[in-house]
Amino acid sequence: MPQIKAINHVAVVVEDMEKSLAFWRDALGIELHELRDVPAEKSQVAFLPLAGAEVELVMPTTDDSGIAKYLAKRGQGMHHLCLEVDDIEAMMVHLKGKNIRLINEEARTAADGKKYAFIHPESSGGVLVELYQI
Amino acid sequence: MPQIKAINHVAVVVEDMEKSLAFWRDALGIELHELRDVPAEKSQVAFLPLAGAEVELVMPTTDDSGIAKYLAKRGQGMHHLCLEVDDIEAMMVHLKGKNIRLINEEARTAADGKKYAFIHPESSGGVLVELYQI
């Protein structure tokens, strides 16, 4: 049975990166590890590591991405919870067997080699859950 | 300067604890450490530890609590992000000095001795942030 190992990150959708960093970095004092443009996801992402997990601030850079539409509809706040899993393909097969609705039918591979997939909030009680295999 | 040490937990507000556990415990396979009634907060809480952090499922047990009203208004989903801090009083003084709005003027102490306080989402870009000193 595949295993969930840890909370990998909590992603927060933000309107204005500088204002958000004024809170998370400057007021709370969490170190900003990296601020990265991710053109493939039409967003800019700030990575703020915390003891093996991370807060990620995601700012849409266009109006037409999924996250831009989420921001327009729901406003700023927590967007998804990412859980690390030891075997993402096995977990996806297992979840399908439990009638859990997945957003991605197959795991995708990011530029850095991580495999990821999303579970539909309909199956998780309103939480957009991302699975990550590092 | 007080320091944020880790993500302590992500709290998820749920309508039906058994349905939620069918996802988090039975489908994802995360161990349920404890299911506790918390009359002081008019809720039932499921604690699912993950590598030093935790997913907490919170189900209101009355209609008149803050979290019950949140659920009625916003629906199920992530409710707050709890960060562990080494010195909560010093952090609260520091945050007030940065004009961050706090929900609690003073830290509260839980039955188990933990000190906690909430930062208003207005100051944190829409995320209800809890601070914990263990």
Short mmCIF file of all heavy atoms in Angstrom, two decimals, chain A residues 1 4-7 10 12 23-24 26-29 50-51 53-54 74 76-81 83 91 94-95 98 100 119 123-127 129, chain B residues 1 4-7 10 12 23-24 26-29 50-51 53-54 74 76-81 83 91 94-95 98 100 119 123-127 129:
data_model
loop_
_atom_site.label_atom_id
_atom_site.label_comp_id
_atom_site.label_asym_id
_atom_site.label_seq_id
_atom_site.Cartn_x
_atom_site.Cartn_y
_atom_site.Cartn_z
N MET A 1 0.84 -1.20 0.00
CA MET A 1 0.00 0.00 0.00
C MET A 1 0.88 1.26 0.00
O MET A 1 1.77 1.40 0.83
CB MET A 1 -0.91 -0.06 1.25
CG MET A 1 -1.50 1.26 1.73
SD MET A 1 -3.16 1.59 1.07
CE MET A 1 -3.31 3.35 1.40
N ILE A 4 1.36 8.06 2.35
CA ILE A 4 1.55 9.50 2.47
C ILE A 4 2.61 9.71 3.54
O ILE A 4 2.49 9.19 4.65
CB ILE A 4 0.23 10.21 2.89
CG1 ILE A 4 -0.89 9.93 1.89
CG2 ILE A 4 0.47 11.70 3.07
CD1 ILE A 4 -0.73 10.57 0.54
N LYS A 5 3.66 10.49 3.19
CA LYS A 5 4.81 10.62 4.09
C LYS A 5 4.78 11.92 4.89
O LYS A 5 5.28 11.96 6.01
CB LYS A 5 6.12 10.62 3.27
CG LYS A 5 6.27 9.49 2.28
CD LYS A 5 6.30 8.14 2.93
CE LYS A 5 7.65 7.87 3.59
NZ LYS A 5 7.65 6.52 4.21
N ALA A 6 4.29 12.99 4.30
CA ALA A 6 4.44 14.31 4.93
C ALA A 6 3.59 15.34 4.21
O ALA A 6 3.15 15.11 3.08
CB ALA A 6 5.91 14.74 4.86
N ILE A 7 3.36 16.46 4.90
CA ILE A 7 2.85 17.65 4.22
C ILE A 7 4.05 18.24 3.48
O ILE A 7 5.06 18.57 4.09
CB ILE A 7 2.28 18.67 5.22
CG1 ILE A 7 1.01 18.10 5.88
CG2 ILE A 7 2.00 20.01 4.54
CD1 ILE A 7 0.42 18.98 6.98
N VAL A 10 1.91 24.04 1.58
CA VAL A 10 0.59 24.67 1.53
C VAL A 10 0.73 25.82 0.55
O VAL A 10 1.61 26.67 0.70
CB VAL A 10 0.18 25.20 2.92
CG1 VAL A 10 -1.14 25.95 2.85
CG2 VAL A 10 0.10 24.06 3.93
N VAL A 12 -0.67 29.17 -1.27
CA VAL A 12 -1.53 30.31 -0.99
C VAL A 12 -1.60 31.15 -2.26
O VAL A 12 -0.55 31.50 -2.81
CB VAL A 12 -0.94 31.15 0.17
CG1 VAL A 12 -1.75 32.41 0.41
CG2 VAL A 12 -0.84 30.31 1.45
N PHE A 23 4.14 40.39 4.55
CA PHE A 23 3.61 39.64 5.69
C PHE A 23 4.47 38.41 6.00
O PHE A 23 5.01 38.26 7.10
CB PHE A 23 2.16 39.21 5.44
CG PHE A 23 1.63 38.31 6.52
CD1 PHE A 23 1.38 38.80 7.79
CD2 PHE A 23 1.42 36.95 6.28
CE1 PHE A 23 0.93 37.96 8.81
CE2 PHE A 23 0.97 36.11 7.29
CZ PHE A 23 0.72 36.62 8.55
N TRP A 24 4.61 37.49 5.04
CA TRP A 24 5.23 36.19 5.32
C TRP A 24 6.73 36.30 5.60
O TRP A 24 7.25 35.65 6.50
CB TRP A 24 4.97 35.21 4.16
CG TRP A 24 3.52 34.91 3.97
CD1 TRP A 24 2.65 35.56 3.14
CD2 TRP A 24 2.73 33.91 4.65
NE1 TRP A 24 1.39 35.02 3.25
CE2 TRP A 24 1.41 34.00 4.17
CE3 TRP A 24 3.04 32.94 5.61
CZ2 TRP A 24 0.39 33.16 4.61
CZ3 TRP A 24 2.02 32.10 6.04
CH2 TRP A 24 0.71 32.22 5.56
N ASP A 26 8.66 39.53 5.82
CA ASP A 26 9.13 40.65 6.62
C ASP A 26 8.50 40.67 8.02
O ASP A 26 9.18 40.97 8.99
CB ASP A 26 8.86 41.96 5.90
CG ASP A 26 9.50 41.99 4.51
OD1 ASP A 26 10.49 41.26 4.30
OD2 ASP A 26 9.00 42.72 3.64
N ALA A 27 7.20 40.37 8.13
CA ALA A 27 6.57 40.42 9.45
C ALA A 27 6.80 39.10 10.19
O ALA A 27 7.31 39.08 11.30
CB ALA A 27 5.08 40.74 9.32
N LEU A 28 6.47 37.96 9.57
CA LEU A 28 6.65 36.68 10.26
C LEU A 28 8.13 36.27 10.32
O LEU A 28 8.52 35.48 11.17
CB LEU A 28 5.85 35.56 9.58
CG LEU A 28 4.33 35.58 9.80
CD1 LEU A 28 3.69 34.40 9.06
CD2 LEU A 28 3.95 35.53 11.27
N GLY A 29 8.92 36.78 9.38
CA GLY A 29 10.35 36.48 9.42
C GLY A 29 10.73 35.14 8.81
O GLY A 29 11.82 34.62 9.06
N LEU A 50 9.94 25.67 5.65
CA LEU A 50 9.76 25.61 7.10
C LEU A 50 9.91 24.16 7.54
O LEU A 50 8.96 23.37 7.41
CB LEU A 50 8.35 26.09 7.47
CG LEU A 50 8.13 27.57 7.63
CD1 LEU A 50 6.66 27.87 7.84
CD2 LEU A 50 8.95 28.13 8.79
N ALA A 51 11.08 23.80 8.05
CA ALA A 51 11.29 22.48 8.66
C ALA A 51 10.83 21.33 7.76
O ALA A 51 10.05 20.48 8.19
CB ALA A 51 10.57 22.42 10.00
N ALA A 53 8.85 21.30 5.29
CA ALA A 53 7.67 21.63 4.50
C ALA A 53 7.87 23.05 3.95
O ALA A 53 8.96 23.62 4.05
CB ALA A 53 6.41 21.53 5.34
N GLU A 54 6.84 23.61 3.37
CA GLU A 54 6.99 24.90 2.71
C GLU A 54 5.66 25.62 2.63
O GLU A 54 4.62 24.98 2.44
CB GLU A 54 7.48 24.64 1.27
CG GLU A 54 8.52 25.56 0.77
CD GLU A 54 9.27 25.00 -0.45
OE1 GLU A 54 8.61 24.37 -1.32
OE2 GLU A 54 10.47 25.17 -0.53
N ARG A 74 -12.75 33.40 -5.80
CA ARG A 74 -12.74 33.12 -4.36
C ARG A 74 -11.90 34.09 -3.55
O ARG A 74 -11.96 34.09 -2.32
CB ARG A 74 -12.22 31.70 -4.10
CG ARG A 74 -12.86 30.61 -4.91
CD ARG A 74 -13.81 29.73 -4.17
NE ARG A 74 -13.56 29.62 -2.75
CZ ARG A 74 -14.02 28.65 -1.97
NH1 ARG A 74 -14.73 27.69 -2.49
NH2 ARG A 74 -13.79 28.64 -0.68
N GLN A 76 -8.12 35.87 -2.30
CA GLN A 76 -6.86 35.35 -1.79
C GLN A 76 -7.08 34.32 -0.68
O GLN A 76 -8.07 34.37 0.02
CB GLN A 76 -6.02 36.48 -1.21
CG GLN A 76 -5.65 37.56 -2.20
CD GLN A 76 -4.62 38.51 -1.59
OE1 GLN A 76 -3.46 38.48 -1.97
NE2 GLN A 76 -5.05 39.34 -0.66
N GLY A 77 -6.13 33.45 -0.48
CA GLY A 77 -6.21 32.50 0.62
C GLY A 77 -5.55 31.19 0.25
O GLY A 77 -4.92 31.06 -0.80
N MET A 78 -5.73 30.18 1.11
CA MET A 78 -5.11 28.88 0.84
C MET A 78 -5.75 28.26 -0.39
O MET A 78 -6.97 28.26 -0.54
CB MET A 78 -5.26 27.96 2.06
CG MET A 78 -4.31 28.37 3.19
SD MET A 78 -4.27 27.15 4.54
CE MET A 78 -5.79 27.59 5.42
N HIS A 79 -4.91 27.73 -1.27
CA HIS A 79 -5.38 27.19 -2.53
C HIS A 79 -5.33 25.67 -2.56
O HIS A 79 -6.30 25.02 -2.91
CB HIS A 79 -4.55 27.78 -3.68
CG HIS A 79 -4.94 27.27 -5.03
ND1 HIS A 79 -4.26 26.25 -5.66
CD2 HIS A 79 -5.96 27.62 -5.85
CE1 HIS A 79 -4.85 26.00 -6.83
NE2 HIS A 79 -5.88 26.82 -6.96
N HIS A 80 -4.20 25.09 -2.21
CA HIS A 80 -4.13 23.63 -2.13
C HIS A 80 -3.16 23.16 -1.09
O HIS A 80 -2.31 23.91 -0.62
CB HIS A 80 -3.85 23.00 -3.50
CG HIS A 80 -2.49 23.26 -4.07
ND1 HIS A 80 -2.23 24.26 -4.97
CD2 HIS A 80 -1.29 22.64 -3.86
CE1 HIS A 80 -0.94 24.24 -5.30
NE2 HIS A 80 -0.35 23.27 -4.64
N LEU A 81 -3.33 21.88 -0.74
CA LEU A 81 -2.48 21.21 0.25
C LEU A 81 -1.75 20.10 -0.48
O LEU A 81 -2.39 19.25 -1.11
CB LEU A 81 -3.36 20.62 1.35
CG LEU A 81 -2.66 19.74 2.40
CD1 LEU A 81 -1.64 20.55 3.19
CD2 LEU A 81 -3.70 19.14 3.36
N LEU A 83 0.65 16.84 -0.45
CA LEU A 83 1.12 15.74 0.39
C LEU A 83 2.14 14.91 -0.39
O LEU A 83 1.94 14.61 -1.56
CB LEU A 83 -0.07 14.84 0.77
CG LEU A 83 -1.22 15.53 1.49
CD1 LEU A 83 -2.39 14.56 1.68
CD2 LEU A 83 -0.78 16.09 2.84
N MET A 91 -0.52 5.02 -5.67
CA MET A 91 -1.56 5.73 -4.93
C MET A 91 -2.73 6.09 -5.84
O MET A 91 -3.90 5.98 -5.44
CB MET A 91 -0.96 7.00 -4.28
CG MET A 91 -1.96 7.82 -3.48
SD MET A 91 -2.75 6.92 -2.09
CE MET A 91 -1.57 7.21 -0.76
N HIS A 94 -4.78 3.05 -6.42
CA HIS A 94 -5.48 2.77 -5.16
C HIS A 94 -6.68 3.72 -4.98
O HIS A 94 -7.79 3.29 -4.64
CB HIS A 94 -4.47 2.92 -4.01
CG HIS A 94 -5.08 2.97 -2.66
ND1 HIS A 94 -5.52 1.85 -2.00
CD2 HIS A 94 -5.35 4.01 -1.83
CE1 HIS A 94 -6.02 2.20 -0.83
NE2 HIS A 94 -5.93 3.50 -0.70
N LEU A 95 -6.48 5.01 -5.25
CA LEU A 95 -7.56 5.99 -5.06
C LEU A 95 -8.70 5.74 -6.06
O LEU A 95 -9.88 5.84 -5.71
CB LEU A 95 -7.02 7.42 -5.20
CG LEU A 95 -6.08 7.87 -4.07
CD1 LEU A 95 -5.49 9.25 -4.39
CD2 LEU A 95 -6.79 7.92 -2.72
N LYS A 98 -10.97 3.27 -4.90
CA LYS A 98 -11.85 3.74 -3.82
C LYS A 98 -12.86 4.77 -4.35
O LYS A 98 -13.50 5.49 -3.57
CB LYS A 98 -11.01 4.40 -2.72
CG LYS A 98 -10.03 3.47 -2.02
CD LYS A 98 -10.63 2.98 -0.72
CE LYS A 98 -9.64 2.15 0.08
NZ LYS A 98 -10.30 1.50 1.23
N ILE A 100 -12.28 7.61 -5.76
CA ILE A 100 -11.86 9.00 -5.54
C ILE A 100 -11.63 9.62 -6.91
O ILE A 100 -10.96 9.04 -7.77
CB ILE A 100 -10.55 9.04 -4.71
CG1 ILE A 100 -10.75 8.37 -3.34
CG2 ILE A 100 -10.05 10.47 -4.58
CD1 ILE A 100 -11.74 9.01 -2.43
N ILE A 119 -6.06 15.67 -6.70
CA ILE A 119 -7.32 15.00 -6.37
C ILE A 119 -8.42 16.05 -6.42
O ILE A 119 -8.23 17.18 -5.96
CB ILE A 119 -7.24 14.39 -4.96
CG1 ILE A 119 -6.10 13.35 -4.91
CG2 ILE A 119 -8.57 13.77 -4.54
CD1 ILE A 119 -5.80 12.85 -3.50
N SER A 123 -14.01 14.96 -4.02
CA SER A 123 -13.74 13.69 -3.32
C SER A 123 -13.04 13.88 -1.99
O SER A 123 -12.88 12.93 -1.24
CB SER A 123 -12.88 12.78 -4.20
OG SER A 123 -13.65 12.23 -5.25
N SER A 124 -12.59 15.10 -1.73
CA SER A 124 -11.76 15.30 -0.53
C SER A 124 -12.40 16.28 0.44
O SER A 124 -11.72 16.83 1.30
CB SER A 124 -10.39 15.83 -0.95
OG SER A 124 -10.56 17.04 -1.67
N GLY A 125 -13.70 16.51 0.29
CA GLY A 125 -14.38 17.44 1.20
C GLY A 125 -13.90 18.87 1.03
O GLY A 125 -13.64 19.58 1.99
N GLY A 126 -13.79 19.30 -0.23
CA GLY A 126 -13.54 20.73 -0.50
C GLY A 126 -12.09 21.16 -0.49
O GLY A 126 -11.80 22.33 -0.69
N VAL A 127 -11.17 20.22 -0.24
CA VAL A 127 -9.74 20.59 -0.21
C VAL A 127 -9.10 20.12 -1.52
O VAL A 127 -9.18 18.94 -1.86
CB VAL A 127 -9.02 19.92 0.97
CG1 VAL A 127 -7.54 20.30 0.98
CG2 VAL A 127 -9.68 20.28 2.28
N VAL A 129 -6.27 18.70 -3.08
CA VAL A 129 -5.10 17.98 -2.58
C VAL A 129 -4.20 17.64 -3.75
O VAL A 129 -4.65 17.05 -4.74
CB VAL A 129 -5.50 16.69 -1.83
CG1 VAL A 129 -4.26 15.88 -1.45
CG2 VAL A 129 -6.31 17.02 -0.57
N MET B 1 14.86 38.29 17.85
CA MET B 1 13.66 38.19 17.01
C MET B 1 13.04 36.78 17.14
O MET B 1 13.74 35.78 16.97
CB MET B 1 14.08 38.48 15.56
CG MET B 1 13.16 37.98 14.46
SD MET B 1 11.99 39.24 13.87
CE MET B 1 10.79 38.20 13.03
N ILE B 4 9.52 31.65 13.52
CA ILE B 4 8.59 30.60 13.09
C ILE B 4 9.43 29.35 12.81
O ILE B 4 10.40 29.41 12.05
CB ILE B 4 7.84 31.03 11.80
CG1 ILE B 4 7.07 32.34 12.01
CG2 ILE B 4 6.92 29.90 11.32
CD1 ILE B 4 5.90 32.26 12.94
N LYS B 5 9.04 28.23 13.44
CA LYS B 5 9.86 27.02 13.38
C LYS B 5 9.35 26.02 12.34
O LYS B 5 10.13 25.27 11.76
CB LYS B 5 9.85 26.30 14.74
CG LYS B 5 10.18 27.19 15.93
CD LYS B 5 11.56 27.76 15.87
CE LYS B 5 12.63 26.74 16.23
NZ LYS B 5 13.97 27.36 16.18
N ALA B 6 8.02 25.92 12.18
CA ALA B 6 7.47 24.84 11.37
C ALA B 6 5.99 25.07 11.11
O ALA B 6 5.35 25.88 11.78
CB ALA B 6 7.63 23.50 12.11
N ILE B 7 5.47 24.35 10.12
CA ILE B 7 4.02 24.23 9.98
C ILE B 7 3.59 23.22 11.04
O ILE B 7 4.07 22.09 11.06
CB ILE B 7 3.64 23.73 8.57
CG1 ILE B 7 3.98 24.80 7.52
CG2 ILE B 7 2.15 23.36 8.52
CD1 ILE B 7 3.73 24.37 6.07
N VAL B 10 -2.54 21.92 9.46
CA VAL B 10 -3.51 22.54 8.55
C VAL B 10 -4.87 22.06 9.03
O VAL B 10 -5.10 20.85 9.14
CB VAL B 10 -3.27 22.09 7.10
CG1 VAL B 10 -4.34 22.65 6.17
CG2 VAL B 10 -1.89 22.53 6.64
N VAL B 12 -8.89 21.65 8.59
CA VAL B 12 -9.88 21.52 7.53
C VAL B 12 -11.25 21.46 8.20
O VAL B 12 -11.46 20.65 9.11
CB VAL B 12 -9.63 20.22 6.73
CG1 VAL B 12 -10.73 19.99 5.69
CG2 VAL B 12 -8.26 20.25 6.08
N PHE B 23 -12.15 9.60 3.41
CA PHE B 23 -11.13 10.08 2.47
C PHE B 23 -9.72 10.08 3.10
O PHE B 23 -8.82 9.41 2.60
CB PHE B 23 -11.48 11.49 1.97
CG PHE B 23 -10.39 12.09 1.12
CD1 PHE B 23 -10.11 11.59 -0.15
CD2 PHE B 23 -9.60 13.14 1.60
CE1 PHE B 23 -9.07 12.11 -0.93
CE2 PHE B 23 -8.56 13.66 0.83
CZ PHE B 23 -8.30 13.15 -0.42
N TRP B 24 -9.56 10.83 4.19
CA TRP B 24 -8.21 11.07 4.73
C TRP B 24 -7.60 9.80 5.34
O TRP B 24 -6.41 9.52 5.15
CB TRP B 24 -8.25 12.20 5.78
CG TRP B 24 -8.65 13.51 5.19
CD1 TRP B 24 -9.91 14.03 5.13
CD2 TRP B 24 -7.80 14.46 4.54
NE1 TRP B 24 -9.89 15.25 4.50
CE2 TRP B 24 -8.61 15.55 4.14
CE3 TRP B 24 -6.42 14.53 4.29
CZ2 TRP B 24 -8.09 16.67 3.48
CZ3 TRP B 24 -5.91 15.65 3.63
CH2 TRP B 24 -6.75 16.69 3.24
N ASP B 26 -9.16 6.39 5.27
CA ASP B 26 -9.37 5.11 4.58
C ASP B 26 -8.82 5.13 3.15
O ASP B 26 -8.24 4.14 2.70
CB ASP B 26 -10.85 4.75 4.56
CG ASP B 26 -11.42 4.69 5.98
OD1 ASP B 26 -10.64 4.48 6.93
OD2 ASP B 26 -12.64 4.89 6.13
N ALA B 27 -9.00 6.23 2.42
CA ALA B 27 -8.50 6.26 1.05
C ALA B 27 -7.02 6.66 1.02
O ALA B 27 -6.19 5.94 0.47
CB ALA B 27 -9.35 7.20 0.19
N LEU B 28 -6.66 7.79 1.66
CA LEU B 28 -5.24 8.20 1.64
C LEU B 28 -4.38 7.33 2.56
O LEU B 28 -3.17 7.26 2.38
CB LEU B 28 -5.10 9.68 2.04
CG LEU B 28 -5.54 10.71 1.01
CD1 LEU B 28 -5.31 12.13 1.56
CD2 LEU B 28 -4.80 10.56 -0.32
N GLY B 29 -5.00 6.73 3.56
CA GLY B 29 -4.25 5.83 4.45
C GLY B 29 -3.48 6.54 5.55
O GLY B 29 -2.56 5.96 6.14
N LEU B 50 1.45 13.75 10.43
CA LEU B 50 2.26 13.47 9.23
C LEU B 50 3.64 14.08 9.43
O LEU B 50 3.80 15.30 9.25
CB LEU B 50 1.62 14.11 8.00
CG LEU B 50 0.52 13.34 7.29
CD1 LEU B 50 -0.10 14.19 6.21
CD2 LEU B 50 1.05 12.04 6.70
N ALA B 51 4.60 13.28 9.82
CA ALA B 51 6.01 13.72 9.89
C ALA B 51 6.19 15.02 10.66
O ALA B 51 6.78 15.98 10.17
CB ALA B 51 6.57 13.89 8.47
N ALA B 53 4.08 17.28 11.46
CA ALA B 53 2.95 18.20 11.28
C ALA B 53 1.66 17.38 11.37
O ALA B 53 1.69 16.20 11.73
CB ALA B 53 3.05 18.91 9.94
N GLU B 54 0.55 17.98 11.05
CA GLU B 54 -0.72 17.30 11.24
C GLU B 54 -1.77 17.88 10.31
O GLU B 54 -1.79 19.08 10.05
CB GLU B 54 -1.17 17.54 12.69
CG GLU B 54 -1.76 16.36 13.38
CD GLU B 54 -1.78 16.55 14.90
OE1 GLU B 54 -2.06 17.66 15.38
OE2 GLU B 54 -1.54 15.56 15.60
N ARG B 74 -18.95 29.45 3.85
CA ARG B 74 -17.92 29.18 2.85
C ARG B 74 -17.87 27.73 2.40
O ARG B 74 -17.18 27.41 1.43
CB ARG B 74 -16.53 29.56 3.41
CG ARG B 74 -16.42 30.96 3.97
CD ARG B 74 -15.68 31.94 3.11
NE ARG B 74 -14.70 31.40 2.23
CZ ARG B 74 -13.72 32.10 1.66
NH1 ARG B 74 -13.58 33.36 1.94
NH2 ARG B 74 -12.88 31.54 0.81
N GLN B 76 -17.10 23.48 3.05
CA GLN B 76 -15.97 22.70 3.54
C GLN B 76 -14.67 23.14 2.86
O GLN B 76 -14.68 23.64 1.75
CB GLN B 76 -16.19 21.23 3.21
CG GLN B 76 -17.40 20.61 3.86
CD GLN B 76 -17.39 19.10 3.70
OE1 GLN B 76 -17.19 18.39 4.65
NE2 GLN B 76 -17.59 18.62 2.48
N GLY B 77 -13.57 22.89 3.56
CA GLY B 77 -12.26 23.20 2.97
C GLY B 77 -11.26 23.59 4.04
O GLY B 77 -11.55 23.49 5.23
N MET B 78 -10.10 24.05 3.58
CA MET B 78 -9.07 24.45 4.54
C MET B 78 -9.54 25.68 5.31
O MET B 78 -10.06 26.63 4.73
CB MET B 78 -7.76 24.74 3.80
CG MET B 78 -7.07 23.45 3.34
SD MET B 78 -5.39 23.72 2.73
CE MET B 78 -5.73 24.30 1.05
N HIS B 79 -9.35 25.64 6.61
CA HIS B 79 -9.84 26.71 7.48
C HIS B 79 -8.71 27.59 8.00
O HIS B 79 -8.78 28.81 7.95
CB HIS B 79 -10.62 26.10 8.65
CG HIS B 79 -11.16 27.10 9.61
ND1 HIS B 79 -10.52 27.42 10.79
CD2 HIS B 79 -12.25 27.89 9.54
CE1 HIS B 79 -11.23 28.36 11.42
NE2 HIS B 79 -12.27 28.66 10.68
N HIS B 80 -7.67 26.99 8.55
CA HIS B 80 -6.53 27.80 8.99
C HIS B 80 -5.22 27.02 8.89
O HIS B 80 -5.21 25.80 8.77
CB HIS B 80 -6.74 28.38 10.40
CG HIS B 80 -6.75 27.39 11.52
ND1 HIS B 80 -7.91 26.88 12.06
CD2 HIS B 80 -5.74 26.82 12.22
CE1 HIS B 80 -7.62 26.05 13.04
NE2 HIS B 80 -6.31 25.98 13.17
N LEU B 81 -4.14 27.80 8.93
CA LEU B 81 -2.78 27.27 8.86
C LEU B 81 -2.12 27.63 10.18
O LEU B 81 -2.07 28.81 10.54
CB LEU B 81 -2.03 27.95 7.70
CG LEU B 81 -0.54 27.63 7.57
CD1 LEU B 81 -0.31 26.16 7.29
CD2 LEU B 81 0.08 28.48 6.46
N LEU B 83 1.18 27.79 12.54
CA LEU B 83 2.64 27.85 12.50
C LEU B 83 3.17 27.81 13.92
O LEU B 83 2.66 28.51 14.81
CB LEU B 83 3.09 29.14 11.81
CG LEU B 83 2.57 29.36 10.39
CD1 LEU B 83 2.99 30.76 9.89
CD2 LEU B 83 3.11 28.28 9.44
N MET B 91 6.54 37.34 19.52
CA MET B 91 6.05 37.44 18.14
C MET B 91 4.85 38.39 18.05
O MET B 91 4.75 39.19 17.12
CB MET B 91 5.70 36.06 17.59
CG MET B 91 5.21 36.06 16.14
SD MET B 91 6.37 36.75 14.93
CE MET B 91 7.33 35.28 14.49
N HIS B 94 6.03 41.89 18.26
CA HIS B 94 6.70 42.18 16.99
C HIS B 94 5.67 42.46 15.88
O HIS B 94 5.80 43.43 15.13
CB HIS B 94 7.61 41.00 16.65
CG HIS B 94 8.13 41.00 15.25
ND1 HIS B 94 9.18 41.79 14.86
CD2 HIS B 94 7.73 40.31 14.15
CE1 HIS B 94 9.40 41.59 13.56
NE2 HIS B 94 8.55 40.69 13.11
N LEU B 95 4.64 41.62 15.80
CA LEU B 95 3.64 41.77 14.74
C LEU B 95 2.84 43.07 14.93
O LEU B 95 2.56 43.78 13.96
CB LEU B 95 2.70 40.56 14.71
CG LEU B 95 3.34 39.24 14.24
CD1 LEU B 95 2.36 38.09 14.39
CD2 LEU B 95 3.83 39.34 12.79
N LYS B 98 4.51 45.87 13.52
CA LYS B 98 4.46 45.90 12.05
C LYS B 98 3.04 46.19 11.56
O LYS B 98 2.73 45.97 10.38
CB LYS B 98 4.90 44.53 11.49
CG LYS B 98 6.35 44.17 11.78
CD LYS B 98 7.24 44.52 10.60
CE LYS B 98 8.66 44.02 10.81
NZ LYS B 98 9.58 44.57 9.77
N ILE B 100 0.35 44.51 12.05
CA ILE B 100 -0.40 43.31 11.71
C ILE B 100 -1.57 43.19 12.70
O ILE B 100 -1.38 43.30 13.91
CB ILE B 100 0.51 42.06 11.80
CG1 ILE B 100 1.71 42.17 10.86
CG2 ILE B 100 -0.30 40.78 11.55
CD1 ILE B 100 1.39 42.25 9.39
N ILE B 119 -3.93 35.39 13.84
CA ILE B 119 -3.69 36.62 13.08
C ILE B 119 -4.89 36.82 12.16
O ILE B 119 -5.39 35.86 11.56
CB ILE B 119 -2.39 36.48 12.24
CG1 ILE B 119 -1.19 36.28 13.16
CG2 ILE B 119 -2.21 37.71 11.34
CD1 ILE B 119 0.09 35.91 12.43
N SER B 123 -4.73 40.87 7.49
CA SER B 123 -3.31 41.22 7.50
C SER B 123 -2.43 40.18 6.83
O SER B 123 -1.24 40.39 6.66
CB SER B 123 -2.82 41.40 8.94
OG SER B 123 -3.29 42.61 9.48
N SER B 124 -3.01 39.04 6.50
CA SER B 124 -2.18 37.92 6.01
C SER B 124 -2.59 37.51 4.60
O SER B 124 -2.27 36.40 4.16
CB SER B 124 -2.32 36.73 6.95
OG SER B 124 -3.68 36.34 7.04
N GLY B 125 -3.32 38.37 3.90
CA GLY B 125 -3.72 38.03 2.54
C GLY B 125 -4.71 36.88 2.50
O GLY B 125 -4.56 35.96 1.69
N GLY B 126 -5.70 36.92 3.38
CA GLY B 126 -6.82 35.97 3.29
C GLY B 126 -6.61 34.63 3.96
O GLY B 126 -7.50 33.78 3.93
N VAL B 127 -5.45 34.43 4.60
CA VAL B 127 -5.20 33.16 5.28
C VAL B 127 -5.37 33.37 6.79
O VAL B 127 -4.72 34.24 7.35
CB VAL B 127 -3.77 32.64 5.00
CG1 VAL B 127 -3.52 31.33 5.72
CG2 VAL B 127 -3.52 32.52 3.51
N VAL B 129 -4.19 32.61 10.02
CA VAL B 129 -2.94 32.01 10.53
C VAL B 129 -3.03 31.91 12.04
O VAL B 129 -3.32 32.90 12.72
CB VAL B 129 -1.70 32.84 10.13
CG1 VAL B 129 -0.44 32.31 10.78
CG2 VAL B 129 -1.53 32.85 8.61
#
